[in-house]
Amino acid sequence: MNHDPHSVGLVCPQTAHFSTPLTLASGHVLPSYELVFETYGTLNQQASNAILICHALSGHHHVAGRHHPDDKAAGWWDNMVGPGKPIDTDRFFVVGVNNLGGCHGSTGPRSINPATGQPYGSSFPVVTVPDWVHAQARLADYLGIRCWAAVIGGSLGGMQALEWSIRFPDRLHHALVIASAPKLTAQNIAFNDVARQAILTDPEFYGGDFYQKDAIPRRGLRLARMLGHITYLSDDGMGEKFGRLLRSGEYKFGYDVEFEIESYLRYQGDKFSDYFDANTYLLMTKALDYFDPGTEWGQGDLARALQRAEAKFLIAAFTTDWRFSPARSKEIVKALIDAQKTVSYAEIESAHGHDAFLMTDPPYVALMHAYLNLVALKAGV
Amino acid sequence: MMLRSDLQLIADWIPARSRVLDLGCGDGQLLAYLSQHKKVVGYGVEIDVNNVIRCVSSGINVVQGDLEAGLSDFQSDAFDVVVLSQTIQAMRHIEQIMVEMLRVGREAIVSFPNFGYWKNRLQILQGHMPVSETIPYDWHNTPNIHLCMLRDFEALCAKNQIEVKERVVMDGGSRIDFLPNLLGSLAFYRIGRAV
């Protein structure tokens, strides 16, 4: 394999074990837990150049690079993180972490509960965005990072960045909240519930304890992912890519895959159900539904909640995103301006819908370059 | 840092340490100058993404948006000064933006090219739509849809209970005090709510 000078190259996940109990928003206490994470670049002596990347619903700690030279795909944000890329690993020490409740190595429903010797399954507690941020702060302590140069996330990841700025105002200099929202709408929650129902009603789900039955609620996960995927793309983008294209060029007058879009969604659903955990999916959608910092910190007023924040903010949205439309990002911007905070907002033209935050539309990349350069200057790197 | 002369005039009108909203802020030049020299804090509003990126590069707070959509993102009385520099002539809803500017700001500064400038009048007399330094577009290719003269602007202010606090008219970098509606090419107004 040719070495790509803009890739972080081969990377290796690490695991941090925490034995200080973590009290969750639900009141449940996790006596101990593990977080799996990856780092890229070098932490400078003052520990001023650390950036935390928060992942979205189906993301994880593997943000950039490859685990093996023959890995087909690189980390999920490899286009944004690497030497010379906007999140420049020649300047920053970048941390990716799999959140609690995840299914990529951090303690989650699939993990063995040390108290029972069995997978947690249905007994794994519901975790929230604040719980994740709390756990991430412990990881920061573990890594010797008192204050992040920036906390960055798209979608559900953006909510974590926003939560960081309110919960730990003096532990980050910048928050980058991309394609996100200050709370879900009824429509957002409705989509999440349909996804959850698909999983919960799958006979292979066994109330969440399918591991012991050697079962996987594949059908439910597939449906949940297909539904989710529709909301990640724009109508235009989907139309452009698939239109009404038929796989065999003619109607078959049956219910097998005929349109290309059906084939695409089924493929995405199948792929997802091969590796993602059904309980994790349920829990992630619930974390989305519960997120509402305006209510938690500001008695319903987001501007009031954000009074606490000390970070500088970059808020970005994408024109064709209808899952978290630009109007949702502007709610955050308005609250920040009302609270007289330092904020910039960009509304990037893109055909990629919600997924645009993972793509490389040139103005988006230029914006990230420009903003992260400020972050680097502030960090002295 | 040298400011464009028309922006310098606006900058001189803005008190130190005030809160400023710069509508149509372009690359953020004015705000950059103000934050550096007058400890001003504020935001720019800009529609063009490339300008937004330029603002971000120079550390200017910028909100991408279309002024025609109004200023509902901003609370009443949130700013000391709201600036609209050489933009009003290209806007559709002029009265709305003027009223909005004085809702969110105590004071506003508006600059625009004076259509009554003698070179413009001369070209009209010669049978052509004017093209000049401050109106540098051919009629078929211009963003300007609402050109006006000093008296027109002042009449609109009066109609909307807007007080003209100060007026400066310039041509080619010098102040014009004699026959400004004829000899001035660029007009600057400092306006507020009439009480």
Side-chain angles (χ1 to χ4, degrees):
Chain A
M1 189 181 81
N2 287 335
H3 183 66
D4 171 2
H6 296 297
S7 166
V8 298
L10 287 181
V11 293
C12 194
Q14 306 170 59
T15 302
H17 183 85
F18 298 88
S19 45
T20 311
L22 184 71
T23 304
L24 304 171
S26 63
H28 194 104
V29 177
L30 267 184
S32 66
Y33 54 94
E34 286 181 340
L35 292 177
V36 62
F37 65 98
E38 284 180 11
T39 71
Y40 324 99
T42 312
L43 187 63
N44 63 8
Q45 215 169 5
Q46 310 90 302
S48 68
N49 67 334
I51 287 183
L52 175 66
I53 309 286
C54 303
H55 69 76
L57 204 149
S58 58
H60 41 67
H61 57 286
H62 183 37
V63 177
R66 284 173 162 76
H67 289 154
H68 306 285
D70 46 359
D71 276 357
K72 258 201 288 182
W76 59 267
W77 222 9
D78 193 76
N79 52 355
M80 204 56 89
V81 178
K85 289 177 184 169
I87 303 170
D88 188 345
T89 49
D90 287 339
R91 301 169 97 178
F92 296 115
F93 176 67
V94 181
V95 179
V97 57
N98 185 213
N99 281 326
L100 270 183
C103 53
H104 292 89
S106 291
T107 301
R110 203 186 256 175
S111 313
I112 301 296
N113 180 351
T116 63
Q118 295 290 318
Y120 281 98
S122 63
S123 72
F124 194 85
V126 169
V127 288
T128 62
V129 170
D131 293 334
W132 286 335
V133 167
H134 203 158
Q136 290 162 0
R138 294 220 178 140
L139 179 67
D141 296 339
Y142 171 92
L143 292 169
I145 297 159
R146 167 69 208 142
C147 182
W148 298 101
V151 177
I152 307 179
S155 191
L156 177 55
M159 292 174 175
Q160 292 158 58
L162 191 62
E163 178 70 24
W164 260 98
S165 74
I166 302 173
R167 181 164 294 267
F168 298 112
D170 59 345
R171 296 201 68 178
L172 68 164
H173 288 304
H174 300 84
L176 285 78
V177 180
I178 305 163
S180 193
K183 62 182 177 211
L184 294 202
T185 59
Q187 188 193 49
N188 294 147
I189 295 171
F191 274 117
N192 280 348
D193 194 48
V194 176
R196 281 193 293 268
Q197 287 301 319
I199 292 169
L200 292 166
T201 58
D202 186 323
E204 303 287 293
F205 182 64
Y206 293 105
D209 296 313
F210 49 89
Y211 314 98
Q212 294 90 322
K213 310 264 182 193
D214 244 345
I216 300 175
R218 212 177 270 279
R219 246 184 305 174
L221 261 176
R222 245 171 113 232
L223 278 175
R225 181 59 167 181
M226 286 169 78
L227 177 72
H229 217 90
I230 297 169
T231 70
Y232 304 150
L233 304 179
S234 73
D235 190 14
D236 284 354
M238 217 186 236
E240 230 164 78
K241 198 163 168 187
F242 305 103
R244 293 180 52 83
L245 280 178
L246 293 163
R247 294 188 76 194
S248 64
E250 55 182 9
Y251 292 167
K252 298 282 192 198
F253 301 98
Y255 299 111
D256 277 343
V257 174
E258 289 191 72
F259 291 94
E260 284 293 354
I261 182 62
E262 296 175 304
S263 153
Y264 172 77
L265 282 179
R266 290 183 198 196
Y267 170 75
Q268 291 295 338
D270 284 340
K271 202 171 69 168
F272 191 69
S273 67
D274 280 344
Y275 71 85
F276 210 81
D277 180 76
N279 283 311
T280 292
Y281 200 90
L282 292 176
L283 165 162
M284 294 271 175
T285 60
K286 216 58 193 171
L288 275 162
D289 291 1
Y290 287 149
F291 182 65
D292 185 1
T295 296
E296 189 181 356
W297 297 92
Q299 294 169 299
D301 180 358
L302 185 63
R304 190 161 164 181
L306 283 164
Q307 287 293 358
R308 302 168 49 85
E310 292 169 26
K312 298 179 173 180
F313 290 83
L314 177 69
I315 314 294
F318 300 92
T319 48
T320 54
D321 184 351
W322 58 279
R323 186 173 175 101
F324 294 146
S325 73
R328 308 307 318 284
S329 283
K330 289 187 80 172
E331 290 173 32
I332 304 174
V333 174
K334 179 168 173 25
L336 285 165
I337 292 174
D338 289 351
Q340 307 196 358
K341 299 299 169 185
T342 296
V343 56
S344 281
Y345 168 67
E347 199 168 303
I348 305 291
E349 196 127 358
S350 167
H352 292 120
H354 187 57
D355 267 352
F357 83 89
L358 298 165
M359 306 287 179
T360 43
D361 289 298
Y364 174 41
V365 178
L367 175 78
M368 292 293 277
H369 258 298
Y371 197 81
L372 281 145
N373 192 45
L374 295 181
V375 175
L377 291 176
K378 168 82 184 166
V381 289
Chain B
M1 184 170 79
M2 276 289 285
L3 261 189
R4 225 168 62 200
S5 65
D6 63 308
L7 294 181
Q8 185 64 56
L9 194 148
I10 294 173
D12 292 344
W13 267 350
I14 293 174
R17 271 174 274 275
S18 44
R19 292 180 51 78
V20 174
L21 180 65
D22 185 1
L23 302 176
C25 66
D27 61 5
Q29 209 189 127
L30 177 66
L31 281 171
Y33 176 90
L34 288 171
S35 71
Q36 211 180 329
H37 292 87
K38 291 197 159 183
K39 305 245 178 303
V40 152
V41 290
Y43 306 91
V45 178
E46 173 57 39
I47 194 166
D48 177 66
V49 73
N50 294 314
N51 275 333
V52 168
I53 293 165
R54 284 186 198 105
C55 288
V56 166
S57 301
S58 30
I60 298 302
N61 289 336
V62 62
V63 174
Q64 190 174 359
D66 182 0
L67 299 179
E68 301 286 8
L71 302 178
S72 57
D73 287 347
F74 304 98
Q75 281 181 325
S76 298
D77 292 310
F79 298 94
D80 298 309
V81 187
V82 182
V83 177
L84 186 63
S85 156
Q86 296 196 52
T87 302
I88 200 163
Q89 75 279 1
M91 289 192 63
R92 198 169 292 274
H93 304 107
I94 297 216
E95 280 185 276
Q96 177 194 309
I97 193 71
M98 296 218 345
V99 169
E100 275 284 275
M101 284 172 83
L102 289 172
R103 175 183 66 80
V104 304
R106 272 192 310 110
E107 215 175 87
I109 297 171
V110 178
S111 71
F112 58 86
N114 175 26
F115 197 71
Y117 181 50
W118 68 274
K119 284 188 189 167
N120 297 337
R121 299 189 193 205
L122 185 65
Q123 288 178 65
I124 292 172
L125 281 178
Q126 289 167 337
H128 291 289
M129 283 298 282
V131 178
S132 61
E133 261 169 57
T134 51
I135 309 178
Y137 301 100
D138 286 313
W139 68 274
H140 54 88
N141 188 25
T142 178
N144 297 335
I145 52 174
H146 284 139
L147 289 158
C148 72
M149 308 191 195
L150 306 192
R151 281 180 204 156
D152 301 318
F153 183 78
E154 286 164 25
L156 188 68
C157 287
K159 182 187 167 220
N160 288 287
Q161 285 87 45
I162 292 170
E163 179 199 359
V164 173
K165 297 184 159 185
E166 204 172 342
R167 181 186 81 184
V168 168
V169 182
M170 308 278 290
D171 181 35
S174 16
R175 273 179 84 129
I176 304 294
D177 293 317
F178 178 65
L179 295 179
N181 202 20
L182 182 66
L183 300 180
S185 57
L186 209 49
F188 300 79
Y189 283 85
R190 198 159 67 78
I191 56 178
R193 283 166 246 166
V195 273

mmCIF file of all heavy atoms in Angstrom, chain B residues 119-134:
data_model
loop_
_atom_site.group_PDB
_atom_site.id
_atom_site.type_symbol
_atom_site.label_atom_id
_atom_site.label_comp_id
_atom_site.label_asym_id
_atom_site.label_seq_id
_atom_site.Cartn_x
_atom_site.Cartn_y
_atom_site.Cartn_z
ATOM 1 N N LYS B 119 -22.768 63.543 -12.069
ATOM 2 C CA LYS B 119 -22.331 62.704 -13.199
ATOM 3 C C LYS B 119 -23.442 61.746 -13.631
ATOM 4 O O LYS B 119 -23.560 61.404 -14.802
ATOM 5 C CB LYS B 119 -21.087 61.895 -12.824
ATOM 6 C CG LYS B 119 -19.805 62.714 -12.805
ATOM 7 C CD LYS B 119 -18.601 61.795 -12.608
ATOM 8 C CE LYS B 119 -17.345 62.618 -12.378
ATOM 9 N NZ LYS B 119 -16.242 61.788 -11.896
ATOM 10 N N ASN B 120 -24.243 61.321 -12.642
ATOM 11 C CA ASN B 120 -25.378 60.453 -12.976
ATOM 12 C C ASN B 120 -26.432 61.250 -13.751
ATOM 13 O O ASN B 120 -26.955 60.789 -14.773
ATOM 14 C CB ASN B 120 -26.014 59.882 -11.709
ATOM 15 C CG ASN B 120 -25.055 58.989 -10.935
ATOM 16 O OD1 ASN B 120 -24.103 58.455 -11.514
ATOM 17 N ND2 ASN B 120 -25.278 58.839 -9.648
ATOM 18 N N ARG B 121 -26.713 62.464 -13.242
ATOM 19 C CA ARG B 121 -27.711 63.309 -13.902
ATOM 20 C C ARG B 121 -27.286 63.613 -15.340
ATOM 21 O O ARG B 121 -28.112 63.589 -16.257
ATOM 22 C CB ARG B 121 -27.877 64.621 -13.134
ATOM 23 C CG ARG B 121 -28.356 64.406 -11.705
ATOM 24 C CD ARG B 121 -28.721 65.732 -11.083
ATOM 25 N NE ARG B 121 -28.890 65.587 -9.637
ATOM 26 C CZ ARG B 121 -29.653 66.406 -8.906
ATOM 27 N NH1 ARG B 121 -30.303 67.396 -9.472
ATOM 28 N NH2 ARG B 121 -29.750 66.217 -7.616
ATOM 29 N N LEU B 122 -26.002 63.880 -15.504
ATOM 30 C CA LEU B 122 -25.494 64.232 -16.834
ATOM 31 C C LEU B 122 -25.705 63.083 -17.818
ATOM 32 O O LEU B 122 -26.155 63.272 -18.949
ATOM 33 C CB LEU B 122 -24.000 64.580 -16.731
ATOM 34 C CG LEU B 122 -23.351 65.094 -18.009
ATOM 35 C CD1 LEU B 122 -23.963 66.449 -18.403
ATOM 36 C CD2 LEU B 122 -21.839 65.274 -17.828
ATOM 37 N N GLN B 123 -25.400 61.865 -17.343
ATOM 38 C CA GLN B 123 -25.552 60.720 -18.238
ATOM 39 C C GLN B 123 -27.016 60.505 -18.621
ATOM 40 O O GLN B 123 -27.313 60.098 -19.741
ATOM 41 C CB GLN B 123 -24.967 59.465 -17.588
ATOM 42 C CG GLN B 123 -23.442 59.499 -17.540
ATOM 43 C CD GLN B 123 -22.872 58.274 -16.853
ATOM 44 O OE1 GLN B 123 -23.011 57.168 -17.338
ATOM 45 N NE2 GLN B 123 -22.244 58.493 -15.706
ATOM 46 N N ILE B 124 -27.911 60.782 -17.655
ATOM 47 C CA ILE B 124 -29.339 60.651 -17.969
ATOM 48 C C ILE B 124 -29.730 61.691 -19.019
ATOM 49 O O ILE B 124 -30.431 61.373 -19.996
ATOM 50 C CB ILE B 124 -30.192 60.786 -16.693
ATOM 51 C CG1 ILE B 124 -29.952 59.571 -15.791
ATOM 52 C CG2 ILE B 124 -31.678 60.908 -17.038
ATOM 53 C CD1 ILE B 124 -30.578 59.660 -14.425
ATOM 54 N N LEU B 125 -29.209 62.912 -18.834
ATOM 55 C CA LEU B 125 -29.487 63.966 -19.821
ATOM 56 C C LEU B 125 -28.978 63.568 -21.200
ATOM 57 O O LEU B 125 -29.567 63.879 -22.222
ATOM 58 C CB LEU B 125 -28.843 65.291 -19.391
ATOM 59 C CG LEU B 125 -29.599 66.067 -18.309
ATOM 60 C CD1 LEU B 125 -28.837 67.323 -17.932
ATOM 61 C CD2 LEU B 125 -31.007 66.434 -18.797
ATOM 62 N N GLN B 126 -27.862 62.831 -21.194
ATOM 63 C CA GLN B 126 -27.285 62.392 -22.478
ATOM 64 C C GLN B 126 -28.021 61.172 -23.032
ATOM 65 O O GLN B 126 -27.670 60.675 -24.107
ATOM 66 C CB GLN B 126 -25.801 62.059 -22.303
ATOM 67 C CG GLN B 126 -24.946 63.301 -22.072
ATOM 68 C CD GLN B 126 -23.539 62.951 -21.584
ATOM 69 O OE1 GLN B 126 -23.322 61.878 -21.029
ATOM 70 N NE2 GLN B 126 -22.598 63.864 -21.806
ATOM 71 N N GLY B 127 -28.990 60.690 -22.270
ATOM 72 C CA GLY B 127 -29.831 59.617 -22.791
ATOM 73 C C GLY B 127 -29.413 58.221 -22.372
ATOM 74 O O GLY B 127 -29.772 57.239 -23.028
ATOM 75 N N HIS B 128 -28.642 58.113 -21.286
ATOM 76 C CA HIS B 128 -28.204 56.789 -20.831
ATOM 77 C C HIS B 128 -28.430 56.591 -19.344
ATOM 78 O O HIS B 128 -28.420 57.551 -18.584
ATOM 79 C CB HIS B 128 -26.713 56.609 -21.109
ATOM 80 C CG HIS B 128 -26.389 56.505 -22.555
ATOM 81 N ND1 HIS B 128 -26.697 55.417 -23.316
ATOM 82 C CD2 HIS B 128 -25.800 57.406 -23.379
ATOM 83 C CE1 HIS B 128 -26.313 55.626 -24.566
ATOM 84 N NE2 HIS B 128 -25.762 56.843 -24.630
ATOM 85 N N MET B 129 -28.590 55.331 -18.953
ATOM 86 C CA MET B 129 -28.569 55.018 -17.525
ATOM 87 C C MET B 129 -27.148 55.249 -17.043
ATOM 88 O O MET B 129 -26.181 54.871 -17.712
ATOM 89 C CB MET B 129 -28.979 53.565 -17.293
ATOM 90 C CG MET B 129 -30.479 53.327 -17.397
ATOM 91 S SD MET B 129 -31.411 54.250 -16.163
ATOM 92 C CE MET B 129 -31.153 53.257 -14.697
ATOM 93 N N PRO B 130 -27.015 55.852 -15.870
ATOM 94 C CA PRO B 130 -25.677 56.220 -15.408
ATOM 95 C C PRO B 130 -24.817 55.039 -14.957
ATOM 96 O O PRO B 130 -25.340 54.093 -14.361
ATOM 97 C CB PRO B 130 -25.960 57.147 -14.230
ATOM 98 C CG PRO B 130 -27.337 56.841 -13.797
ATOM 99 C CD PRO B 130 -28.076 56.329 -14.981
ATOM 100 N N VAL B 131 -23.549 55.149 -15.270
ATOM 101 C CA VAL B 131 -22.544 54.229 -14.718
ATOM 102 C C VAL B 131 -21.449 55.115 -14.142
ATOM 103 O O VAL B 131 -20.905 55.948 -14.861
ATOM 104 C CB VAL B 131 -21.948 53.306 -15.812
ATOM 105 C CG1 VAL B 131 -20.886 52.400 -15.216
ATOM 106 C CG2 VAL B 131 -23.047 52.493 -16.480
ATOM 107 N N SER B 132 -21.204 54.970 -12.833
ATOM 108 C CA SER B 132 -20.178 55.820 -12.231
ATOM 109 C C SER B 132 -19.405 55.026 -11.186
ATOM 110 O O SER B 132 -19.674 53.840 -10.985
ATOM 111 C CB SER B 132 -20.833 57.053 -11.607
ATOM 112 O OG SER B 132 -21.742 56.657 -10.599
ATOM 113 N N GLU B 133 -18.487 55.698 -10.538
ATOM 114 C CA GLU B 133 -17.648 54.998 -9.558
ATOM 115 C C GLU B 133 -18.476 54.318 -8.474
ATOM 116 O O GLU B 133 -18.174 53.198 -8.065
ATOM 117 C CB GLU B 133 -16.711 55.998 -8.885
ATOM 118 C CG GLU B 133 -15.311 55.998 -9.459
ATOM 119 C CD GLU B 133 -14.535 57.187 -8.932
ATOM 120 O OE1 GLU B 133 -14.429 57.317 -7.702
ATOM 121 O OE2 GLU B 133 -14.076 58.003 -9.768
ATOM 122 N N THR B 134 -19.507 55.011 -8.000
ATOM 123 C CA THR B 134 -20.281 54.434 -6.904
ATOM 124 C C THR B 134 -21.466 53.595 -7.394
ATOM 125 O O THR B 134 -22.081 52.874 -6.609
ATOM 126 C CB THR B 134 -20.816 55.537 -5.969
ATOM 127 O OG1 THR B 134 -21.480 56.517 -6.766
ATOM 128 C CG2 THR B 134 -19.684 56.184 -5.198
#
